[in-house]
Amino acid sequence: MAFESTRLKELAEQFPDLSKEIQNRIDRIVDLMVPFRERQYYHRDFQGKYSIKVVAPIMSPEISYDKLVIQNGSSAMQAFAQLHKLKIKEQYKIRQAYWIIVIPMC
């Protein structure tokens, strides 16, 4: 949540005409890690961890990072930075590889 909020604040500074709309989105960000970190919801298989890579497959077994083409944030950022250089079909594959993990969690 902190990383995303910081990036959005930077965008608001770069685009003052959009700052109100960007701030609106910042205000609506919810940190989904909180209930797990504070053990409001706990499963023994979390083994004291609360990252999405640990929690998601336990709560939704159909979600697995092992099956993803893009398995970490750094790879995702690199892939998205290069999207504009790729053909539409390749862009679609990368977007699908990323959204497989995101959509079920929304």
Side-chain angles (χ1 to χ4, degrees):
M1 180 175 153
F3 176 83
E4 292 82 359
S5 295
T6 300
R7 301 295 77 81
L8 287 169
K9 288 175 185 175
E10 291 169 355
L11 286 172
E13 290 174 9
Q14 291 178 9
F15 301 97
D17 56 317
L18 300 174
S19 64
K20 185 176 179 181
E21 290 84 358
I22 293 170
Q23 185 61 49
N24 184 343
R25 279 141 182 94
I26 293 169
D27 294 342
R28 294 187 339 223
I29 292 176
V30 176
D31 191 345
L32 298 177
M33 188 183 288
V34 171
F36 304 104
R37 182 180 59 223
E38 295 180 0
R39 294 187 176 206
Q40 295 168 357
Y41 182 88
Y42 186 78
H43 189 284
R44 70 178 188 278
D45 291 342
F46 294 167
Q47 299 179 352
K49 300 175 183 174
Y50 44 82
S51 73
I52 191 169
K53 287 185 177 184
V54 173
V55 172
I58 293 167
M59 295 191 63
S60 299
E62 69 277 4
I63 298 173
S64 171
Y65 274 80
D66 297 337
K67 297 176 186 174
L68 295 178
V69 175
I70 299 171
Q71 296 186 357
N72 61 61
S74 297
S75 296
M77 288 190 303
Q78 290 173 348
F80 275 92
Q82 300 301 315
L83 276 181
H84 68 284
K85 297 178 182 178
L86 302 174
K87 294 180 180 179
I88 298 295
K89 189 174 182 177
E90 292 302 312
Q91 288 182 17
Y92 179 78
K93 285 181 185 177
I94 289 174
R95 289 180 185 276
Q96 284 300 109
Y98 177 72
W99 287 108
I100 288 170
I101 191 66
V102 177
I103 290 175
M105 298 301 292
C106 293

